[in-house]
Amino acid sequence: MIIIKQGGDEIISGASMKDVPNILWLEEIRKEDIISVGGKGASLGEMASLGLPVPKAFVVTAQAFRRFLVEADLEEKIFKLSDQLDVENNAALEKAADAAKTLVMKAKMPAAIRDEIRKAYKKMSKSDLIVAVRSSATAEDLPDASFAGQQETYLNIKGEAALLLAVQKCWASLYGARAIYYRAKQGFDDHTVNIAVVVQQLVHSEKAGVMFTSHPITGEPQTIIEGSWGLGEAVVSGSVSPDNYVLDQRSEKVIDRRIANKKVEIIADGDHGTKLVDVDSARQDAQVLSDEEVGKLAMYGKIAENHYGIPQDVEWGIVAGTIYILQSRPITTIGNKSEAKGMSGQKQDAKIILQGQGAAPGIASGKVVIIRDVKDTGAVKEGDILVTRMTNPDMVPAMRKVAAIVTDEGGMTCHAAIVSRELGTPAIVGTKTATQLLKNGQLITVDGERGLIYEGVFESSAPAKAATQQGGFSNAPIITATSVKVNVSIPEAAARAAATGADGVGLLRIEHLILGLSKTPGWFIANHKEEDFVKELHDGIKIVLDAFPGKSVWVRTLDAPTDEFRNMAGGENEPHEHNPMLGWRGIRRDLQSPDQFRLQVEAFKRLWKEGYENLGVMFPMVSHPDQFTAAKEMMRGWGVDVQNATLGIMIEIPSSAIMVEDFIKAGINFASFGTNDLVQYTLAIDRNNENVADMYAPQHPAVLSLIHNAIQTCRAYNIECSICGQAGSDPKMASWLVEHGITSVSANIDAIAKIREAVARTEKRIILEAARNCDAE
Ligand code: PEP
Ligand code: MG
């Protein structure tokens, strides 16, 4: 461990950090400067040093931050706050974090640093440039430690005053409660952790996309470019079918160009965030890139590939004719089903080392990283394969980074399966022994469709996420009389979900919005942060509503079993239950915790008031109509016009299937089968227990009988009847449901195309058979 000496530059341990200036321009930065500029700064510097057109940027170095702490005399005071801190004591943690942040915000930035930042900003552009101000934390003893997502980023910053404030806010964010907790849990010495701030021109791309610098499947010297209108997020997330260009590097000619119908684009939304909008008709079928632009992009791609010595997956954007290279990383993963066909020869030779349930489709290769405890997720790097007993909500940030996910436990409806499908990340669950059999650093290939794990990496590689876009679900012009809706759990999946053309959202699981905050609802209430809770819910739900204008979105009230809350701040107050699946969850808990229920209703009320009439509310885990009536009365008491609100229930417990007529008489507007639970409660099979996974049978006659009877009752009363459990993503089951009269089916994003096809086929068969019967009469 490095010894810290206090005072001026002396405090910055290691000679390497001593003489570093307050400001470094990207062109001056090399990857060795990571201690001074953080991971983000170092990788941008590396790209700029190659002469790639990276958006202009400078970094306020970690040393500048240290000098600020020393000159403002803050070090002792801040270290004292964290030295004896018990980070498990939430109140104390929050108090220390608030005090440290206040110290940083109230202190004056040294005049020299302020002037240098001002000067650098002026040097970027004559007029005030709009910049993004991003934190890039660094640890002296572990230069490449990952602190991603722990500190703040400020977008759309304009003008000197706003910039200086944003820099200081980034500094203060080093002492956020979550960041302190994370460092303590990871065993970092807080005294040696610094923060650099990247100030970079914000590029609002008019057109953007991704490029593979060599053919991702065959490895041929061909550059493959995908491009569409607006920000690159639309291409990366798969919200749009992009144009596709192939440049042959030997002849330097564009040998193939496929111009897609680009219906939507993602653009900047005011000061913060982005929004999905329709592309005007004139640009929908227009070619995004000229041959000259393709040529230039390919040239930049080659520079990156030659430098890193391995084919690259490059993100690019173009504004007013200027090309920007935004990110470059090695291609480490391989394509999904469609590419897999091309690799079948290779796969036949490959050795299968483990098997489980294929929970999210796609194929990816990478290095195994075994996570035994959520506090170790810092070790997870972009492109790794996350192997763990079972994921939980705290792991979602790590799940976003990885190429594939493998778990010991769980079935098709466990946390890992649900989140992976929405992230578009291949996943295999229920392998039983992955964490024992696989080794850290081992190279493997995961086939998330078939549930197979192969030894080694298949040579051909293409990004799995990009590949899932090619599923082509957005252009299927199939119209069905039965509504085909989509399930959403994380708002970032909303754009991909909307791009399926689904008829609405049949289930929005809001607990994922909350679980991602790492604090229980009870914590927000106990700490008087109710408004934060309501805002988080409101903003997350709004993203989904905005993606589905005019289509119904059924938002389900909280339904997290108590064990999912355990690792979060406030989790220590959760009761220990013998069987959380049968415990205090869903409407039962809300009815007994009026504060928790009221805050959710407050978020709904605000959205209704803002005009989102398409929002319907769905209650989970109801077992008796009295529960529905009680929930409705509470909402009425909080000022909801319950007569006009769309309120419904999930049918997840046999009692609610049996009593559906009583629910209808109590006033439900719709019902939706939650078969994930209905199956487990009908058959006494724990849905997350891989030992009984083969007995988990959604098509068990008893389950089908409950569903059949409930559908008939709903039809008799003209009540919309739907399904949002995983069984609705199985074409056979969807077909059966249509035959039995269901009004809508809500499926996973990746299943929409096949469900729509199955539904359409079944509907046609019913019509055909009816016509034939008529003819015969
Ligand atoms: C279900 O039970 O089928 C369902 C959709 O809810 P969850 O998977 O969130 O329990
Ligand atoms: Mg359920």
Side-chain angles (χ1 to χ4, degrees):
M1 173 63 64
I2 293 157
I3 307 214
I4 309 293
K5 297 181 230 130
Q6 304 281 326
D9 275 359
E10 290 307 307
I11 164 155
I12 297 155
S13 55
S16 58
M17 295 188 65
K18 239 171 148 184
D19 304 319
V20 178
N22 290 327
I23 301 287
L24 279 174
W25 287 92
L26 274 200
E27 296 70 23
E28 304 173 272
I29 295 170
R30 297 295 172 269
K31 58 175 182 298
E32 302 75 59
D33 296 321
I34 193 161
I35 283 182
S36 307
V37 300
K40 235 174 261 164
S43 87
L44 285 171
E46 182 87 353
M47 291 203 300
S49 73
L50 302 176
L52 294 175
V54 179
K56 283 186 244 182
F58 64 85
V59 178
V60 182
T61 60
Q63 286 75 3
F65 168 68
R66 275 290 161 151
R67 286 173 194 131
F68 158 70
L69 286 188
V70 172
E71 283 194 30
D73 200 19
L74 291 183
E75 280 195 306
E76 283 287 345
K77 292 176 196 153
I78 289 179
F79 293 160
K80 222 193 239 157
L81 285 171
S82 65
D83 274 350
Q84 301 300 325
L85 182 64
D86 167 14
V87 294
E88 297 296 350
N89 178 339
N90 276 306
L93 174 64
E94 285 289 331
K95 203 169 149 210
D98 280 351
K101 284 191 291 186
T102 309
L103 281 173
V104 173
M105 289 313 294
K106 287 224 162 116
K108 216 166 161 215
M109 190 184 287
I113 300 178
R114 221 175 32 230
D115 289 348
E116 284 182 62
I117 296 176
R118 278 203 191 113
K119 243 196 249 155
Y121 182 56
K122 274 221 179 82
K123 206 168 144 193
M124 279 180 123
S125 160
K126 280 194 202 90
S127 57
D128 282 351
L129 196 66
I130 299 181
V131 289
V133 181
R134 303 177 198 277
S135 304
S136 188
T138 85
E140 291 163 35
D141 41 359
L142 266 178
D144 56 355
S146 167
F147 297 99
Q150 306 283 336
Q151 284 79 36
E152 297 296 334
T153 284
Y154 299 93
L155 300 174
N156 283 328
I157 299 294
K158 194 172 173 205
E160 281 177 6
L163 171 59
L164 289 168
L165 182 65
V167 170
Q168 201 149 348
K169 278 190 184 166
C170 282
W171 287 347
S173 72
L174 189 62
Y175 302 109
R178 200 179 152 86
I180 297 177
Y181 181 85
Y182 176 83
R183 291 195 295 269
K185 287 285 168 192
Q186 298 282 329
F188 287 109
D189 176 359
D190 234 26
H191 301 199
T192 72
V193 177
N194 286 318
I195 187 161
V197 180
V198 180
V199 179
Q200 185 171 37
Q201 173 190 6
L202 199 67
V203 173
H204 287 316
S205 305
E206 288 157 4
K207 42 193 183 180
V210 294
M211 152 167 70
F212 305 134
T213 61
S214 286
H215 194 293
I217 312 294
T218 63
E220 278 181 85
Q222 289 181 344
T223 309
I224 316 290
I225 300 177
E226 288 185 339
S228 195
W229 303 116
L231 301 177
E233 216 178 313
V235 176
V236 175
S237 68
S239 324
V240 70
S241 303
D243 284 3
N244 187 289
Y245 307 86
V246 181
L247 178 134
D248 183 76
Q249 291 162 11
R250 289 155 294 203
S251 63
E252 295 184 4
K253 293 234 154 51
V254 179
I255 54 168
D256 193 19
R257 56 180 86 63
R258 276 182 225 159
I259 310 308
N261 175 248
K262 300 161 287 288
K263 289 196 177 66
V264 290
E265 65 182 319
I266 295 178
I267 58 171
D269 184 11
D271 285 352
H272 284 292
T274 56
K275 60 181 174 189
L276 186 80
V277 296
D278 289 339
V279 171
D280 49 275
S281 55
R283 286 184 304 142
Q284 279 194 7
D285 294 312
Q287 184 169 333
V288 170
L289 290 176
S290 66
D291 282 7
E292 197 191 333
E293 287 170 325
V294 171
K296 267 199 195 156
L297 279 169
M299 179 187 75
Y300 292 136
K302 218 60 216 167
I303 294 173
E305 179 174 316
N306 290 341
H307 174 76
Y308 293 108
I310 175 169
Q312 298 287 299
D313 166 3
V314 175
E315 279 178 33
W316 56 269
I318 299 182
V319 194
T322 306
I323 295 180
Y324 292 99
I325 299 298
L326 306 170
Q327 195 175 95
S328 179
R329 58 184 165 225
I331 300 177
T332 51
T333 55
I334 51 182
N336 71 350
K337 243 191 342 195
S338 45
E339 280 82 8
K341 283 188 204 128
M343 302 186 309
S344 54
Q346 236 171 335
K347 280 204 352 194
Q348 275 153 19
D349 306 338
K351 185 172 158 208
I352 296 172
I353 49 175
L354 195 59
Q355 225 164 321
Q357 277 188 281
I363 298 179
S365 300
K367 253 196 223 158
V368 167
V369 53
I370 299 177
I371 297 300
R372 299 196 193 276
D373 192 309
V374 65
K375 74 174 166 22
D376 303 328
T377 50
V380 176
K381 304 240 160 41
E382 201 85 34
D384 281 344
I385 308 246
L386 171 65
V387 178
T388 188
R389 195 169 60 77
M390 173 43 60
T391 62
N392 66 42
D394 260 24
M395 289 191 192
V396 171
M399 294 171 78
R400 288 195 173 97
K401 287 199 236 169
V402 295
I405 292 163
V406 178
T407 66
D408 287 349
E409 300 177 353
M412 293 298 282
T413 63
C414 69
H415 180 266
I418 291 169
V419 175
S420 304
R421 282 192 292 266
E422 293 206 1
L423 292 172
T425 303
I428 299 180
V429 298
T431 61
K432 296 186 183 164
T433 53
T435 56
Q436 287 148 42
L437 206 105
L438 301 175
K439 300 271 165 295
N440 268 318
Q442 184 180 359
L443 288 168
I444 59 166
T445 298
V446 170
D447 181 341
E449 173 91 21
R450 296 173 187 80
L452 300 176
I453 298 173
Y454 298 89
E455 193 170 65
V457 172
F458 293 164
E459 258 167 41
S460 325
S461 53
K465 290 189 189 184
T468 49
Q469 305 152 21
Q470 293 158 12
F473 44 59
S474 59
N475 43 28
I478 304 173
I479 309 283
T480 54
T482 311
S483 304
V484 176
K485 302 185 183 180
V486 64
N487 298 337
V488 180
S489 298
I490 47 178
E492 70 195 79
R496 278 182 71 228
T500 62
D503 298 316
V505 174
L507 166 65
L508 171 58
R509 291 180 167 97
I510 61 168
E511 54 278 3
H512 291 253
L513 306 179
I514 297 306
L515 296 173
L517 298 174
S518 288
K519 290 176 184 122
T520 63
W523 183 94
F524 285 93
I525 294 163
N527 289 281
H528 310 295
K529 302 258 191 224
E530 279 124 347
E531 182 53 32
D532 292 0
F533 180 85
V534 173
K535 186 167 180 323
E536 200 67 33
L537 274 187
H538 167 276
D539 294 356
I541 299 169
K542 182 170 177 300
I543 291 174
V544 181
L545 289 165
D546 282 336
F548 288 86
K551 296 182 179 177
S552 86
V553 173
W554 291 344
V555 179
R556 185 178 74 180
T557 51
L558 278 175
D559 184 17
T562 46
D563 55 338
E564 292 205 0
F565 282 134
R566 183 90 52 229
N567 288 329
M568 329 214 135
E572 64 282 358
N573 299 325
E574 289 294 302
H576 282 269
E577 297 182 308
H578 289 297
N579 193 336
M581 277 293 182
L582 296 175
W584 209 33
R585 53 178 288 209
I587 198 66
R588 315 162 173 187
R589 183 166 186 170
D590 274 352
L591 291 177
Q592 292 176 357
S593 320
D595 280 344
Q596 177 179 301
F597 189 26
R598 179 178 49 78
L599 296 182
Q600 297 168 67
V601 173
E602 178 58 31
F604 305 150
K605 268 171 60 185
R606 288 186 196 176
L607 289 159
W608 277 322
K609 204 163 161 208
E610 286 161 27
Y612 291 102
E613 280 163 14
N614 49 333
L615 186 162
V617 174
M618 178 157 73
F619 301 122
M621 299 291 293
V622 282
S623 54
H624 194 285
D626 287 352
Q627 291 171 321
F628 174 75
T629 307
K632 194 164 143 181
E633 283 318 306
M634 283 166 93
M635 289 176 81
R636 190 201 305 275
W638 293 320
V640 175
D641 174 7
V642 287
Q643 254 11 75
N644 290 310
T646 305
L647 305 178
I649 55 158
M650 300 213 28
I651 300 183
E652 295 173 290
I653 302 178
S655 63
S656 56
I658 294 164
M659 296 179 74
V660 72
E661 188 165 9
D662 299 294
F663 278 99
I664 293 170
K665 288 183 180 153
I668 59 169
N669 301 111
F670 65 87
S672 179
F673 298 107
T675 44
N676 303 343
D677 282 320
L678 186 60
V679 174
Q680 78 168 345
Y681 300 137
T682 307
L683 306 180
I685 298 290
D686 176 349
R687 61 192 258 191
N688 286 340
N689 184 340
E690 64 285 353
N691 296 319
V692 288
D694 57 350
M695 291 174 239
Y696 184 89
Q699 296 185 10
H700 188 289
V703 177
L704 295 183
S705 163
L706 285 170
I707 293 178
H708 168 81
N709 291 338
I711 294 178
Q712 300 322 311
T713 310
C714 287
R715 287 181 71 81
Y717 286 89
N718 207 13
I719 289 287
E720 180 167 357
C721 183
S722 188
I723 178 170
C724 56
Q726 175 63 19
S729 295
D730 170 1
K732 258 204 218 131
M733 184 71 169
S735 204
W736 184 91
L737 289 163
V738 172
E739 277 166 12
H740 287 77
I742 201 146
T743 21
S744 68
V745 174
S746 190
N748 305 325
I749 298 174
D750 60 277
I752 295 294
K754 62 183 182 195
I755 293 304
R756 191 181 281 135
E757 202 183 303
V759 167
R761 205 178 282 273
T762 311
E763 288 175 349
K764 289 212 171 97
R765 201 178 53 231
I766 294 170
I767 297 168
L768 192 65
E769 273 164 18
R772 281 183 183 144
N773 287 343
C774 273
D775 283 354
E777 276 162 17

